[in-house]
Amino acid sequence: MKDNIIIDTDCGVDDTFCIANFLALHRAKRCKVLGITTVSGNIPTKSAFQSTSTLVKEVLKVTDVPVFHSSCSEFNDPHASLFYGTDGQCGALEKQSNRHFQLPEKSSEQFLIDQLTGRNNVTIIAIGPLTNLASIEQTCLAFLGEQHRSSSWEERFMSQETARKPTSFLNTTSVWTEKRQNVS
């Protein structure tokens, strides 16, 4: 069984290596990258979406992996570090392409929820701030109700308070499987 991967990124130079490696594994059919969700962090939300889209579609020439825009992380835009420039890549992507990508109708958060509730084996590679994951935690807890909250749920997902702390790897399969079994 192929691993289903979702990459959650703020598209800084540091994230590019991870994205490129997973897309190479995707091309080699060693895993399936379901999509890439973007979030504000190194650069503002819309810039993260544009830069990630440029990296994936124009530089790496991968056309079968969708990129999604975060609707919940714009509150963090004024705090974007711009450490790697306005494109997150020290200006390299701005020189590479001036193409403007349309924002998708589905947000990063909705894509994550759809994939996590519709599949049993999904791994999220969270290499940006955890704002999207905190948002879906809040959305799903509101839907499921507090009585369904478990210690394993809390251990695997971060609260809004820790949404800005980075993590490298978060496996959500068992969390969502538990939740679906409890709700059924």
Side-chain angles (χ1 to χ4, degrees), residues 78-130:
H79 305 289
S81 71
L82 302 177
F83 186 78
Y84 301 113
T86 57
D87 69 351
Q89 307 291 316
C90 302
L93 292 178
E94 291 169 347
K95 293 175 188 166
Q96 178 75 26
S97 173
N98 60 1
R99 181 174 170 192
H100 179 78
F101 292 88
Q102 282 295 115
L103 294 179
E105 288 184 26
K106 187 179 284 190
S107 68
S108 291
E109 302 83 9
Q110 189 58 55
F111 173 75
L112 286 163
I113 289 170
D114 291 350
Q115 295 303 309
L116 293 171
T117 56
R119 297 175 187 270
N120 286 327
N121 113 2
V122 174
T123 301
I124 296 174
I125 309 299
I127 52 177
L130 300 177

Side-chain angles (χ1 to χ4, degrees), residues 4-184:
N4 292 309
I5 305 294
I6 297 173
I7 301 169
D8 190 59
T9 181
D10 59 350
C11 200
V13 170
D14 53 331
D15 297 8
T16 301
F17 297 103
C18 178
I19 293 168
N21 282 320
F22 272 102
L23 291 178
L25 290 170
H26 172 80
R27 278 187 176 150
K29 303 206 182 309
R30 304 270 317 269
C31 71
K32 179 168 179 62
V33 177
L34 301 171
I36 300 175
T37 56
T38 61
V39 64
S40 176
N42 284 317
I43 54 180
T45 308
K46 287 182 180 156
S47 298
F49 169 76
Q50 291 299 324
S51 291
T52 303
S53 296
T54 300
L55 175 67
V56 172
K57 310 292 185 204
E58 300 284 317
V59 176
L60 300 174
K61 307 287 188 208
V62 175
T63 58
D64 63 338
V65 175
V67 177
F68 297 91
H69 169 266
S70 175
S71 63
C72 72
S73 70
E74 289 180 348
F75 78 92
N76 201 32
D77 284 353
H79 305 289
S81 71
L82 302 177
F83 186 78
Y84 301 113
T86 57
D87 69 351
Q89 307 291 316
C90 302
L93 292 178
E94 291 169 347
K95 293 175 188 166
Q96 178 75 26
S97 173
N98 60 1
R99 181 174 170 192
H100 179 78
F101 292 88
Q102 282 295 115
L103 294 179
E105 288 184 26
K106 187 179 284 190
S107 68
S108 291
E109 302 83 9
Q110 189 58 55
F111 173 75
L112 286 163
I113 289 170
D114 291 350
Q115 295 303 309
L116 293 171
T117 56
R119 297 175 187 270
N120 286 327
N121 113 2
V122 174
T123 301
I124 296 174
I125 309 299
I127 52 177
L130 300 177
T131 312
N132 288 333
L133 299 179
S135 174
I136 66 169
E137 176 194 24
Q138 297 303 312
T139 301
C140 291
L141 285 178
F143 176 73
L144 295 173
E146 284 296 321
Q147 70 273 17
H148 294 290
R149 187 178 202 128
S150 69
S151 61
S152 63
W153 175 270
E154 229 164 357
E155 289 167 8
R156 289 182 178 90
F157 280 96
M158 306 298 148
S159 68
Q160 191 69 30
E161 197 173 297
T162 60
R164 294 185 187 169
K165 293 184 181 177
T167 188
S168 58
F169 189 81
L170 182 63
N171 187 330
T172 60
T173 302
S174 60
V175 174
W176 286 89
T177 302
E178 281 175 28
K179 290 295 122 199
R180 286 194 307 219
Q181 289 171 351
N182 288 342
V183 172
S184 303

